C-alpha cells in the first residue's frame, strides 16, 4: 500500500495503537538518525546493536532524494535485531512535503508491526518534525554533539532541540563538557562519553598483516582514522608534514563537507580513503603515533572523540590538540599528549615515538581504559530507559 492508497490519519492511528495496545511483542525502538548505518561505524551502531538484544531496533535514516518515483521505504537488516529504514523520495519536494511523506511512511510501516511498547531515540532533533504525533512510552535524546555548531546545520535546529528537550524523558550527551551545558536544560541528563570495543582494537597490539596500501609507506608513521571534515585542522597537518618531511602521515577516512582540493598535498601525507570498521586495527598496528589534529573552533568545543580510547586500546600513543574532554579525561594518563602549535605537536610526537609497545606505556593505557566498554555504556543507557517504562 503506497501513500496515495491509505489516508495519513488512518496510518497515524494504526501506528499509535502500537503503544496503546497490550504488550504482545518486544518493545520497538525507533532510532531517528542523521548518520547512516553504513557510514562510519561509531556510537549509533555500537549502542543500537547492543540494545537490539532486548528491543526491536528500527534505524530510521534521513531521506534520499532521487528520481521521480513515489515515496517508499527501503528496508534492510545489517545486524540481528536491527532494521534500517531509508525513505526514498522524489526530487523537488518541499521541506513540508518531505516531512509529511516521512511521517506517513513511518506510520504505515509501524502499523504493520505487532502491538507493543514504542520507544523513540533521537540522534537529531530535526526528526521531531515528522514524529511529534507519536506518544512513546520513553523518549530519549542522545545528544552526541552540538549539532548546531556543525557546518551546514539547519537554521531551525536550535528551536527543534528546544522542543525535543521538552519532550524527552532522558538526555544522554556524548561527553562531559556537553553535559555541563545540557544538564541546565533538562533535569534528567547524563554524561555518556563514547566508549570502546577494547578487544577489537587490541588486535593492533599483535603482529597483523599490513594493509597493502599502507605496507609500502616508510616509517615512522603517524596515523589518523575518522571523518575528515571542518573539525580537522588542515593547516596543522600541513605544517607538521613540512617540519618533518621524514615522518609519514597516514590519513584513513572519508572527506566530508569540505573541498578535497583544499587538503594539503605533500609526499609524506597519504590519503587512503574510507575503510571498514573491521579493517581499522590492521592500519593502527602499523602506526608509531596516533594523531588527533582537531581544529579548535565552535564545531569541536564540545566533542569527545571516540578515537581516543580506540587508539589507546590498540596500544598506540596519542598526540591531540587541546580538546577539552580529551584534556580532562586523558591529559594526565601519560598516554595522551596535548599540543596546540605545529612546533609543540612535533615535540610531542618526538617524545611519544619510543613509547609504543613498551610495558610501562601499556600499563598506563590499560589504567586509562579500565572499566570502559560499549557493553557497560549500553547497559547504563538501557537501565535509564527501563527505570522510565
Amino acid at each position: 500500500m503506497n501513500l496515495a492508497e491509505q489516508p495519513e490519519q488512518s496510518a497515524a492511528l494504526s501506528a499509535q495503537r502500537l503503544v496503546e495496545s497490550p504488550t504482545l511483542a518486544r518493545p520497538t525502538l525507533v532510532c531517528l538518525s542523521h548518520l547512516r548505518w553504513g557510514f562510519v561505524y561509531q556510537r549509533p551502531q555500537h549502542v543500537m546493536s547492543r540494545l537490539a538484544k532486548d528491543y526491536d531496533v528500527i534505524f530510521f535514516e534521513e531521506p534520499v532524494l532521487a528520481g521521480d518515483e513515489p515515496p517508499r521505504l527501503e528496508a534492510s537488516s545489517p545486524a540481528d535485531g536491527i532494521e534500517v529504514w531509508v525513505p526514498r523520495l522524489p526530487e523537488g519536494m518541499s521541506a513540508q512535503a518531505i516531512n509529511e511523506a516521512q511521517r506517513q511512511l513511518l506510520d504505515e510501516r509501524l502499523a504493520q508491526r505487532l502491538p507493543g511498547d514504542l520507544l523513540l531515540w533521537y540522534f537529531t532533533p530535526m526528526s521531531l518534525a515528522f514524529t511529534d504525533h507519536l506518544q512513546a512510552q520513553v523518549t530519549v535524546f542522545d545528544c552526541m554533539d552540538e549539532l548546531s555548531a556543525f557546518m551546514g546545520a539547519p537554521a531551525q535546529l536550535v528551536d527543534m532541540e528546544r522542543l525535543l528537550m521538552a519532550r524527552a524523558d532522558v538526555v544522554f550527551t556524548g561527553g562531559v563538557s556537553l553535559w555541563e551545558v545540557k544538564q541546565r536544560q533538562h533535569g534528567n541528563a547524563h554524561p555518556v562519553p563514547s566508549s570502546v570495543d577494547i578487544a577489537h582494537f587490541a588486535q593492533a597490539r599483535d603482529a597483523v598483516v599490513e594493509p597493502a596500501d599502507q605496507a609500502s609507506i616508510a616509517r615512522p608513521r603517524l596515523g589518523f582514522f575518522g571523518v575528515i571534515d571542518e573539525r580537522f585542522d588542515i593547516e596543522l597537518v600541513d605544517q607538521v608534514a613540512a617540519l618533518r618531511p621524514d615522518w609519514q602521515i597516514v590519513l584513513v577516512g572519508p572527506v566530508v563537507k569540505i573541498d578535497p582540493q583544499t587538503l594539503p598535498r605533500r609526499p609524506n601525507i597519504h590519503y587512503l580513503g574510507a575503510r571498514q570498521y573491521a579493517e581499522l586495527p590492521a592500519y593502527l598496528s602499523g602506526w608509531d603515533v596516533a594523531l588527533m589534529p582537531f581544529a579548535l573552533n565552535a564545531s569541536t568545543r564540545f566533542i569527545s572523540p571516540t578515537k581516543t580510547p580506540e587508539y589507546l586500546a590498540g596500544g598506540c600513543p596519542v598526540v591531540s590538540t587541546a580538546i577539552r574532554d580529551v584534556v580532562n579525561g586523558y591529559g594526565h594518563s601519560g598516554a595522551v599528549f596535548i599540543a596546540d602549535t605545529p612546533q609543540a605537536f612535533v615535540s610531542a610526537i618526538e617524545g611519544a615515538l619510543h613509547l609504543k609497545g613498551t610495558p610501562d606505556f601499556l600499563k598506563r593505557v590499560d589504567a586509562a581504559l579500565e572499566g570502559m566498554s560499549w557493553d557497560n555504556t549500553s547497559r547504563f543507557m538501557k537501565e535509564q530507559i527501563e527505570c522510565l517504562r
Side-chain angles (χ1 to χ4, degrees):
M1 186 174 290
N2 61 33
L3 290 175
E5 295 170 332
Q6 180 172 336
E8 180 177 344
Q9 183 179 12
S10 175
L13 291 173
S14 297
Q16 193 55 49
R17 284 198 291 270
L18 187 70
V19 296
E20 295 174 346
S21 302
T23 299
L24 299 176
R26 295 203 314 168
T28 295
L29 189 161
V30 177
C31 176
L32 300 138
S33 178
H34 60 295
L35 299 170
R36 300 198 181 279
W37 186 272
F39 183 47
V40 175
Y41 201 92
Q42 51 188 306
R43 182 187 184 101
Q45 294 89 339
H46 278 294
V47 172
M48 291 301 135
S49 63
R50 286 162 173 80
L51 293 181
K53 297 173 184 176
D54 300 290
Y55 311 130
D56 289 339
V57 174
I58 295 166
F59 194 85
F60 198 91
E61 295 188 355
E62 290 188 334
V64 174
L65 306 178
D68 55 5
E69 294 185 3
R72 63 184 176 88
L73 267 184
E74 181 180 271
S76 61
S77 181
D80 290 343
I82 303 282
E83 291 182 43
V84 175
W85 293 0
V86 184
R88 297 279 179 173
L89 308 180
E91 291 180 286
M93 298 181 73
S94 68
Q96 180 178 351
I98 289 172
N99 286 329
E100 290 173 353
Q102 290 183 97
R103 182 188 299 260
Q104 191 164 348
L105 288 169
L106 180 58
D107 284 347
E108 286 181 354
R109 191 63 65 92
L110 286 178
Q112 298 170 13
R113 302 181 66 83
L114 288 174
D117 294 338
L118 176 65
L119 313 174
L120 293 177
W121 185 297
Y122 291 86
F123 279 113
T124 170
M126 298 305 296
S127 296
L128 192 62
F130 60 89
T131 58
D132 58 354
H133 64 296
L134 294 176
Q135 298 298 314
Q137 192 173 38
V138 180
T139 297
V140 178
F141 178 25
D142 192 354
C143 186
M144 288 175 53
D145 296 292
E146 187 60 82
L147 295 178
S148 62
F150 283 20
M151 183 183 296
Q156 62 270 46
L157 195 149
V158 172
D159 290 336
M160 295 298 288
E161 181 176 301
R162 189 178 300 113
L163 293 174
L164 180 55
M165 280 284 192
R167 293 174 63 98
D169 298 297
V170 60
V171 174
F172 303 128
T173 65
V176 175
S177 61
L178 189 55
W179 169 79
E180 291 172 347
V181 174
K182 303 305 178 184
Q183 58 92 21
R184 297 196 293 267
Q185 303 168 21
H186 197 281
N188 190 25
H190 304 269
V192 187
S194 290
S195 193
V196 60
D197 183 341
I198 292 177
H200 179 67
F201 285 96
Q203 299 175 76
R205 301 189 187 194
D206 301 322
V208 297
V209 177
E210 280 262 35
D213 56 352
Q214 182 172 278
S216 61
I217 297 175
R219 302 188 85 144
R221 295 190 197 125
L222 319 174
F224 169 92
F225 58 63
V227 179
I228 300 172
D229 57 16
E230 77 271 22
R231 296 169 295 176
F232 196 76
D233 194 331
I234 295 172
E235 184 177 349
L236 174 61
V237 171
D238 187 38
Q239 292 187 41
V240 170
L243 288 168
R244 291 304 299 265
D246 54 317
W247 291 349
Q248 306 301 312
I249 299 177
V250 179
L251 304 175
V252 177
V255 178
V256 177
K257 295 194 292 185
I258 60 174
D259 183 356
Q261 298 302 315
T262 65
L263 297 175
R265 304 289 171 175
R266 295 183 182 273
N268 60 330
I269 302 178
H270 309 269
Y271 299 95
L272 303 188
R275 293 294 179 269
Q276 296 297 312
Y277 179 75
E279 301 175 276
L280 297 182
Y283 285 93
L284 180 56
S285 69
W287 301 346
D288 299 290
V289 174
L291 304 180
M292 296 204 304
F294 288 109
L296 300 180
N297 57 32
S299 66
T300 62
R301 182 180 175 188
F302 299 112
I303 66 171
S304 182
T306 307
K307 58 183 55 60
T308 315
E310 291 175 345
Y311 289 157
L312 294 178
C316 200
V318 179
V319 175
S320 174
T321 49
I323 298 301
R324 184 177 175 189
D325 278 8
V326 176
V327 174
N328 293 340
Y330 300 93
H332 301 292
S333 66
V336 177
F337 306 94
I338 308 299
D340 285 331
T341 67
Q343 292 76 16
F345 232 71
V346 168
S347 296
I349 293 168
E350 288 174 340
L353 278 173
H354 68 283
L355 294 177
K356 186 176 182 180
T358 61
D360 286 346
F361 174 75
L362 293 178
K363 186 181 297 185
R364 294 198 294 270
V365 164
D366 293 340
L369 298 178
E370 185 175 4
M372 292 184 65
S373 74
W374 281 113
D375 289 340
N376 288 341
T377 296
S378 300
R379 186 179 303 114
F380 173 81
M381 292 170 146
K382 177 174 176 282
E383 287 172 356
Q384 303 311 307
I385 293 172
E386 291 303 308
C387 285
L388 294 163
R389 287 185 63 198

